[in-house]
mmCIF file of all heavy atoms in Angstrom:
data_model
loop_
_atom_site.group_PDB
_atom_site.id
_atom_site.type_symbol
_atom_site.label_atom_id
_atom_site.label_comp_id
_atom_site.label_asym_id
_atom_site.label_seq_id
_atom_site.Cartn_x
_atom_site.Cartn_y
_atom_site.Cartn_z
ATOM 1 N N GLU J 1 27.150 -62.136 -1.096
ATOM 2 C CA GLU J 1 26.421 -61.535 -2.205
ATOM 3 C C GLU J 1 25.617 -60.325 -1.748
ATOM 4 O O GLU J 1 25.457 -59.360 -2.489
ATOM 5 C CB GLU J 1 25.498 -62.570 -2.846
ATOM 6 C CG GLU J 1 24.922 -62.105 -4.172
ATOM 7 C CD GLU J 1 24.342 -63.255 -4.967
ATOM 8 O OE1 GLU J 1 24.361 -64.396 -4.466
ATOM 9 O OE2 GLU J 1 23.882 -63.004 -6.080
ATOM 10 N N PHE J 2 25.099 -60.375 -0.507
ATOM 11 C CA PHE J 2 24.336 -59.246 0.030
ATOM 12 C C PHE J 2 24.803 -58.951 1.447
ATOM 13 O O PHE J 2 25.133 -59.863 2.204
ATOM 14 C CB PHE J 2 22.826 -59.555 0.055
ATOM 15 C CG PHE J 2 22.249 -59.879 -1.290
ATOM 16 C CD1 PHE J 2 21.964 -61.186 -1.640
ATOM 17 C CD2 PHE J 2 22.022 -58.872 -2.220
ATOM 18 C CE1 PHE J 2 21.445 -61.494 -2.883
ATOM 19 C CE2 PHE J 2 21.508 -59.158 -3.466
ATOM 20 C CZ PHE J 2 21.225 -60.469 -3.805
ATOM 21 N N ALA J 3 24.794 -57.664 1.808
ATOM 22 C CA ALA J 3 25.148 -57.261 3.172
ATOM 23 C C ALA J 3 23.941 -57.467 4.076
ATOM 24 O O ALA J 3 22.788 -57.414 3.631
ATOM 25 C CB ALA J 3 25.566 -55.791 3.190
ATOM 26 N N ASN J 4 24.208 -57.712 5.368
ATOM 27 C CA ASN J 4 23.119 -57.851 6.337
ATOM 28 C C ASN J 4 22.369 -56.533 6.471
ATOM 29 O O ASN J 4 22.976 -55.456 6.573
ATOM 30 C CB ASN J 4 23.670 -58.274 7.699
ATOM 31 C CG ASN J 4 24.229 -59.678 7.665
ATOM 32 O OD1 ASN J 4 23.752 -60.524 6.914
ATOM 33 N ND2 ASN J 4 25.264 -59.929 8.466
ATOM 34 N N HIS J 5 21.044 -56.592 6.484
ATOM 35 C CA HIS J 5 20.220 -55.384 6.547
ATOM 36 C C HIS J 5 19.823 -55.142 7.993
ATOM 37 O O HIS J 5 18.982 -55.841 8.556
ATOM 38 C CB HIS J 5 18.977 -55.559 5.664
ATOM 39 C CG HIS J 5 18.130 -54.321 5.613
ATOM 40 N ND1 HIS J 5 18.519 -53.176 4.953
ATOM 41 C CD2 HIS J 5 16.909 -54.057 6.140
ATOM 42 C CE1 HIS J 5 17.569 -52.266 5.065
ATOM 43 N NE2 HIS J 5 16.581 -52.766 5.781
ATOM 44 N N ASN J 6 20.444 -54.141 8.623
ATOM 45 C CA ASN J 6 20.186 -53.881 10.037
ATOM 46 C C ASN J 6 19.393 -52.602 10.276
ATOM 47 O O ASN J 6 18.979 -52.318 11.391
ATOM 48 C CB ASN J 6 21.510 -53.785 10.815
ATOM 49 C CG ASN J 6 22.279 -55.098 10.772
ATOM 50 O OD1 ASN J 6 21.682 -56.159 10.897
ATOM 51 N ND2 ASN J 6 23.589 -55.029 10.585
ATOM 52 N N SER J 7 19.211 -51.785 9.248
ATOM 53 C CA SER J 7 18.537 -50.508 9.445
ATOM 54 C C SER J 7 17.027 -50.691 9.494
ATOM 55 O O SER J 7 16.470 -51.600 8.899
ATOM 56 C CB SER J 7 18.904 -49.545 8.312
ATOM 57 O OG SER J 7 18.474 -50.074 7.081
ATOM 58 N N SER J 8 16.377 -49.819 10.234
ATOM 59 C CA SER J 8 14.915 -49.855 10.324
ATOM 60 C C SER J 8 14.322 -48.768 9.439
ATOM 61 O O SER J 8 14.938 -47.734 9.200
ATOM 62 C CB SER J 8 14.466 -49.656 11.773
ATOM 63 O OG SER J 8 14.959 -48.415 12.252
ATOM 64 N N ALA J 9 13.107 -48.972 8.956
ATOM 65 C CA ALA J 9 12.456 -48.004 8.080
ATOM 66 C C ALA J 9 12.123 -46.726 8.849
ATOM 67 O O ALA J 9 11.837 -46.760 10.053
ATOM 68 C CB ALA J 9 11.191 -48.613 7.495
ATOM 69 N N ASN J 10 12.174 -45.580 8.145
ATOM 70 C CA ASN J 10 11.795 -44.316 8.766
ATOM 71 C C ASN J 10 10.286 -44.276 9.009
ATOM 72 O O ASN J 10 9.491 -44.741 8.189
ATOM 73 C CB ASN J 10 12.180 -43.142 7.854
ATOM 74 C CG ASN J 10 13.679 -42.973 7.776
ATOM 75 O OD1 ASN J 10 14.372 -43.193 8.754
ATOM 76 N ND2 ASN J 10 14.181 -42.576 6.614
ATOM 77 N N ILE J 11 9.912 -43.720 10.138
ATOM 78 C CA ILE J 11 8.497 -43.573 10.467
ATOM 79 C C ILE J 11 8.118 -42.103 10.350
ATOM 80 O O ILE J 11 8.714 -41.238 10.996
ATOM 81 C CB ILE J 11 8.206 -44.076 11.893
ATOM 82 C CG1 ILE J 11 8.567 -45.558 12.006
ATOM 83 C CG2 ILE J 11 6.744 -43.838 12.266
ATOM 84 C CD1 ILE J 11 8.447 -46.106 13.409
ATOM 85 N N ILE J 12 7.128 -41.794 9.489
ATOM 86 C CA ILE J 12 6.684 -40.418 9.303
ATOM 87 C C ILE J 12 5.620 -40.112 10.345
ATOM 88 O O ILE J 12 4.533 -40.719 10.355
ATOM 89 C CB ILE J 12 6.119 -40.210 7.881
ATOM 90 C CG1 ILE J 12 7.197 -40.540 6.838
ATOM 91 C CG2 ILE J 12 5.612 -38.790 7.710
ATOM 92 C CD1 ILE J 12 6.690 -40.489 5.412
ATOM 93 N N ILE J 13 5.940 -39.171 11.220
ATOM 94 C CA ILE J 13 4.991 -38.795 12.275
ATOM 95 C C ILE J 13 4.084 -37.664 11.802
ATOM 96 O O ILE J 13 2.892 -37.643 12.054
ATOM 97 C CB ILE J 13 5.757 -38.390 13.557
ATOM 98 C CG1 ILE J 13 6.591 -39.586 14.064
ATOM 99 C CG2 ILE J 13 4.804 -37.886 14.630
ATOM 100 C CD1 ILE J 13 7.484 -39.258 15.228
ATOM 101 N N ASP J 14 4.673 -36.697 11.085
ATOM 102 C CA ASP J 14 3.905 -35.540 10.617
ATOM 103 C C ASP J 14 4.171 -35.366 9.127
ATOM 104 O O ASP J 14 5.269 -34.988 8.723
ATOM 105 C CB ASP J 14 4.349 -34.296 11.400
ATOM 106 C CG ASP J 14 3.500 -33.072 11.092
ATOM 107 O OD1 ASP J 14 3.036 -32.957 9.939
ATOM 108 O OD2 ASP J 14 3.322 -32.239 11.994
ATOM 109 N N ASP J 15 3.155 -35.644 8.293
ATOM 110 C CA ASP J 15 3.326 -35.560 6.832
ATOM 111 C C ASP J 15 3.720 -34.162 6.388
ATOM 112 O O ASP J 15 4.599 -33.985 5.540
ATOM 113 C CB ASP J 15 2.031 -35.973 6.127
ATOM 114 C CG ASP J 15 1.910 -37.489 6.029
ATOM 115 O OD1 ASP J 15 2.941 -38.165 6.168
ATOM 116 O OD2 ASP J 15 0.790 -37.987 5.805
ATOM 117 N N ASP J 16 3.078 -33.130 6.944
ATOM 118 C CA ASP J 16 3.355 -31.744 6.532
ATOM 119 C C ASP J 16 4.789 -31.358 6.871
ATOM 120 O O ASP J 16 5.482 -30.724 6.082
ATOM 121 C CB ASP J 16 2.372 -30.786 7.215
ATOM 122 C CG ASP J 16 0.953 -30.961 6.688
ATOM 123 O OD1 ASP J 16 0.810 -31.486 5.561
ATOM 124 O OD2 ASP J 16 0.008 -30.577 7.400
ATOM 125 N N GLU J 17 5.216 -31.732 8.062
ATOM 126 C CA GLU J 17 6.581 -31.421 8.492
ATOM 127 C C GLU J 17 7.598 -32.163 7.628
ATOM 128 O O GLU J 17 8.639 -31.612 7.260
ATOM 129 C CB GLU J 17 6.765 -31.804 9.968
ATOM 130 C CG GLU J 17 8.141 -31.466 10.551
ATOM 131 C CD GLU J 17 8.366 -29.959 10.663
ATOM 132 O OE1 GLU J 17 7.374 -29.197 10.680
ATOM 133 O OE2 GLU J 17 9.542 -29.548 10.723
ATOM 134 N N PHE J 18 7.284 -33.401 7.290
ATOM 135 C CA PHE J 18 8.178 -34.205 6.445
ATOM 136 C C PHE J 18 8.305 -33.585 5.051
ATOM 137 O O PHE J 18 9.391 -33.471 4.497
ATOM 138 C CB PHE J 18 7.641 -35.637 6.340
ATOM 139 C CG PHE J 18 8.617 -36.610 5.741
ATOM 140 C CD1 PHE J 18 9.709 -37.066 6.467
ATOM 141 C CD2 PHE J 18 8.455 -37.064 4.444
ATOM 142 C CE1 PHE J 18 10.612 -37.967 5.926
ATOM 143 C CE2 PHE J 18 9.351 -37.961 3.889
ATOM 144 C CZ PHE J 18 10.430 -38.417 4.627
ATOM 145 N N ASP J 19 7.168 -33.156 4.462
ATOM 146 C CA ASP J 19 7.177 -32.500 3.151
ATOM 147 C C ASP J 19 7.991 -31.214 3.186
ATOM 148 O O ASP J 19 8.718 -30.894 2.245
ATOM 149 C CB ASP J 19 5.741 -32.197 2.693
ATOM 150 C CG ASP J 19 4.969 -33.464 2.357
ATOM 151 O OD1 ASP J 19 5.631 -34.496 2.116
ATOM 152 O OD2 ASP J 19 3.727 -33.421 2.349
ATOM 153 N N LYS J 20 7.845 -30.451 4.285
ATOM 154 C CA LYS J 20 8.595 -29.199 4.426
ATOM 155 C C LYS J 20 10.096 -29.476 4.493
ATOM 156 O O LYS J 20 10.907 -28.773 3.877
ATOM 157 C CB LYS J 20 8.131 -28.463 5.692
ATOM 158 C CG LYS J 20 8.854 -27.122 5.927
ATOM 159 C CD LYS J 20 8.344 -26.447 7.181
ATOM 160 C CE LYS J 20 9.058 -25.122 7.408
ATOM 161 N NZ LYS J 20 10.519 -25.264 7.538
ATOM 162 N N ASN J 21 10.479 -30.524 5.225
ATOM 163 C CA ASN J 21 11.901 -30.879 5.334
ATOM 164 C C ASN J 21 12.478 -31.276 3.974
ATOM 165 O O ASN J 21 13.616 -30.943 3.656
ATOM 166 C CB ASN J 21 12.084 -32.029 6.322
ATOM 167 C CG ASN J 21 11.843 -31.596 7.754
ATOM 168 O OD1 ASN J 21 11.912 -30.404 8.078
ATOM 169 N ND2 ASN J 21 11.519 -32.550 8.627
ATOM 170 N N ILE J 22 11.688 -32.001 3.173
ATOM 171 C CA ILE J 22 12.142 -32.383 1.832
ATOM 172 C C ILE J 22 12.402 -31.143 0.990
ATOM 173 O O ILE J 22 13.424 -31.028 0.313
ATOM 174 C CB ILE J 22 11.087 -33.290 1.150
ATOM 175 C CG1 ILE J 22 11.025 -34.654 1.848
ATOM 176 C CG2 ILE J 22 11.427 -33.487 -0.331
ATOM 177 C CD1 ILE J 22 9.931 -35.559 1.329
ATOM 178 N N LYS J 23 11.448 -30.183 1.035
ATOM 179 C CA LYS J 23 11.576 -28.955 0.247
ATOM 180 C C LYS J 23 12.784 -28.140 0.703
ATOM 181 O O LYS J 23 13.579 -27.659 -0.106
ATOM 182 C CB LYS J 23 10.301 -28.125 0.375
ATOM 183 C CG LYS J 23 10.284 -26.855 -0.487
ATOM 184 C CD LYS J 23 8.956 -26.139 -0.349
ATOM 185 C CE LYS J 23 8.944 -24.890 -1.241
ATOM 186 N NZ LYS J 23 10.029 -23.963 -0.939
ATOM 187 N N ASP J 24 12.941 -27.995 2.029
ATOM 188 C CA ASP J 24 14.073 -27.219 2.553
ATOM 189 C C ASP J 24 15.406 -27.866 2.182
ATOM 190 O O ASP J 24 16.371 -27.171 1.839
ATOM 191 C CB ASP J 24 13.969 -27.106 4.085
ATOM 192 C CG ASP J 24 12.812 -26.217 4.511
ATOM 193 O OD1 ASP J 24 12.315 -25.453 3.650
ATOM 194 O OD2 ASP J 24 12.411 -26.298 5.689
ATOM 195 N N GLU J 25 15.452 -29.183 2.273
ATOM 196 C CA GLU J 25 16.695 -29.893 1.941
ATOM 197 C C GLU J 25 17.080 -29.662 0.486
ATOM 198 O O GLU J 25 18.245 -29.417 0.165
ATOM 199 C CB GLU J 25 16.512 -31.387 2.206
ATOM 200 C CG GLU J 25 17.756 -32.222 1.906
ATOM 201 C CD GLU J 25 17.503 -33.710 2.106
ATOM 202 O OE1 GLU J 25 16.581 -34.067 2.869
ATOM 203 O OE2 GLU J 25 18.237 -34.504 1.481
ATOM 204 N N ARG J 26 16.083 -29.724 -0.403
ATOM 205 C CA ARG J 26 16.369 -29.516 -1.835
ATOM 206 C C ARG J 26 16.735 -28.075 -2.134
ATOM 207 O O ARG J 26 17.639 -27.802 -2.924
ATOM 208 C CB ARG J 26 15.149 -29.931 -2.675
ATOM 209 C CG ARG J 26 15.405 -29.830 -4.170
ATOM 210 C CD ARG J 26 16.523 -30.791 -4.575
ATOM 211 N NE ARG J 26 16.934 -30.587 -5.952
ATOM 212 C CZ ARG J 26 17.877 -29.747 -6.362
ATOM 213 N NH1 ARG J 26 18.527 -29.002 -5.457
ATOM 214 N NH2 ARG J 26 18.195 -29.649 -7.623
ATOM 215 N N ASP J 27 16.049 -27.122 -1.496
ATOM 216 C CA ASP J 27 16.351 -25.704 -1.730
ATOM 217 C C ASP J 27 17.760 -25.355 -1.283
ATOM 218 O O ASP J 27 18.418 -24.494 -1.869
ATOM 219 C CB ASP J 27 15.335 -24.825 -0.987
ATOM 220 C CG ASP J 27 13.954 -24.882 -1.633
ATOM 221 O OD1 ASP J 27 13.878 -25.316 -2.800
ATOM 222 O OD2 ASP J 27 12.974 -24.496 -0.971
ATOM 223 N N ASN J 28 18.209 -26.003 -0.228
ATOM 224 C CA ASN J 28 19.554 -25.720 0.291
ATOM 225 C C ASN J 28 20.651 -26.400 -0.529
ATOM 226 O O ASN J 28 21.825 -26.074 -0.399
ATOM 227 C CB ASN J 28 19.663 -26.170 1.743
ATOM 228 C CG ASN J 28 18.837 -25.305 2.669
ATOM 229 O OD1 ASN J 28 18.631 -24.115 2.406
ATOM 230 N ND2 ASN J 28 18.334 -25.903 3.757
ATOM 231 N N ASN J 29 20.259 -27.357 -1.334
ATOM 232 C CA ASN J 29 21.234 -28.070 -2.172
ATOM 233 C C ASN J 29 21.224 -27.463 -3.577
ATOM 234 O O ASN J 29 20.645 -28.005 -4.499
ATOM 235 C CB ASN J 29 20.887 -29.557 -2.230
ATOM 236 C CG ASN J 29 21.924 -30.357 -2.988
ATOM 237 O OD1 ASN J 29 23.014 -29.863 -3.257
ATOM 238 N ND2 ASN J 29 21.593 -31.588 -3.348
ATOM 239 N N ASN J 30 21.841 -26.313 -3.711
ATOM 240 C CA ASN J 30 21.824 -25.595 -4.993
ATOM 241 C C ASN J 30 23.208 -25.449 -5.600
ATOM 242 O O ASN J 30 23.490 -24.488 -6.319
ATOM 243 C CB ASN J 30 21.185 -24.216 -4.816
ATOM 244 C CG ASN J 30 21.922 -23.379 -3.775
ATOM 245 O OD1 ASN J 30 22.905 -23.836 -3.198
ATOM 246 N ND2 ASN J 30 21.445 -22.165 -3.531
ATOM 247 N N GLU J 31 24.104 -26.377 -5.275
ATOM 248 C CA GLU J 31 25.461 -26.305 -5.808
ATOM 249 C C GLU J 31 25.462 -26.505 -7.316
ATOM 250 O O GLU J 31 24.737 -27.342 -7.849
ATOM 251 C CB GLU J 31 26.360 -27.376 -5.158
ATOM 252 C CG GLU J 31 26.698 -27.073 -3.715
ATOM 253 C CD GLU J 31 27.739 -28.039 -3.174
ATOM 254 O OE1 GLU J 31 28.438 -28.659 -4.001
ATOM 255 O OE2 GLU J 31 27.842 -28.176 -1.961
ATOM 256 N N LYS J 32 26.275 -25.713 -8.001
ATOM 257 C CA LYS J 32 26.390 -25.838 -9.451
ATOM 258 C C LYS J 32 27.480 -26.848 -9.806
ATOM 259 O O LYS J 32 28.350 -27.155 -9.005
ATOM 260 C CB LYS J 32 26.708 -24.471 -10.069
ATOM 261 C CG LYS J 32 25.595 -23.449 -9.890
ATOM 262 C CD LYS J 32 25.980 -22.127 -10.540
ATOM 263 C CE LYS J 32 24.859 -21.110 -10.377
ATOM 264 N NZ LYS J 32 25.210 -19.805 -10.984
ATOM 265 N N PHE J 33 27.402 -27.350 -11.040
ATOM 266 C CA PHE J 33 28.438 -28.257 -11.508
ATOM 267 C C PHE J 33 29.744 -27.502 -11.698
ATOM 268 O O PHE J 33 29.762 -26.303 -11.988
ATOM 269 C CB PHE J 33 28.033 -28.898 -12.843
ATOM 270 C CG PHE J 33 26.921 -29.903 -12.709
ATOM 271 C CD1 PHE J 33 25.611 -29.581 -13.039
ATOM 272 C CD2 PHE J 33 27.191 -31.175 -12.246
ATOM 273 C CE1 PHE J 33 24.597 -30.506 -12.910
ATOM 274 C CE2 PHE J 33 26.183 -32.122 -12.117
ATOM 275 C CZ PHE J 33 24.883 -31.770 -12.447
ATOM 276 N N HIS J 34 30.869 -28.215 -11.551
ATOM 277 C CA HIS J 34 32.172 -27.610 -11.789
ATOM 278 C C HIS J 34 32.983 -28.527 -12.698
ATOM 279 O O HIS J 34 32.773 -29.738 -12.741
ATOM 280 C CB HIS J 34 32.922 -27.388 -10.471
ATOM 281 C CG HIS J 34 33.218 -28.643 -9.716
ATOM 282 N ND1 HIS J 34 32.288 -29.269 -8.921
ATOM 283 C CD2 HIS J 34 34.345 -29.407 -9.655
ATOM 284 C CE1 HIS J 34 32.824 -30.364 -8.387
ATOM 285 N NE2 HIS J 34 34.066 -30.475 -8.819
ATOM 286 N N ASN J 35 33.873 -27.924 -13.458
ATOM 287 C CA ASN J 35 34.707 -28.690 -14.378
ATOM 288 C C ASN J 35 35.776 -29.451 -13.612
ATOM 289 O O ASN J 35 36.308 -28.990 -12.605
ATOM 290 C CB ASN J 35 35.384 -27.756 -15.395
ATOM 291 C CG ASN J 35 34.372 -27.090 -16.300
ATOM 292 O OD1 ASN J 35 33.352 -27.683 -16.632
ATOM 293 N ND2 ASN J 35 34.644 -25.860 -16.708
#
């Protein structure tokens, strides 16, 4: 019914750097929809 959970949670070392990475990742993902 459920898969074994082996992954560990991400640890945020630098909040500012993490926020910047989120913004950069989203800005780089600007693909438009296609038919």
Side-chain angles (χ1 to χ4, degrees):
E1 192 164 2
F2 301 103
N4 292 329
H5 184 71
N6 297 319
S7 62
S8 58
N10 291 324
I11 299 174
I12 301 175
I13 299 174
D14 186 327
D15 278 341
D16 291 338
E17 183 68 21
F18 192 74
D19 291 340
K20 180 180 180 301
N21 289 339
I22 291 175
K23 184 177 181 302
D24 291 343
E25 181 183 336
R26 184 63 188 89
D27 289 343
N28 290 330
N29 185 14
N30 58 0
E31 288 188 20
K32 295 181 179 179
F33 289 101
H34 62 279
N35 295 326

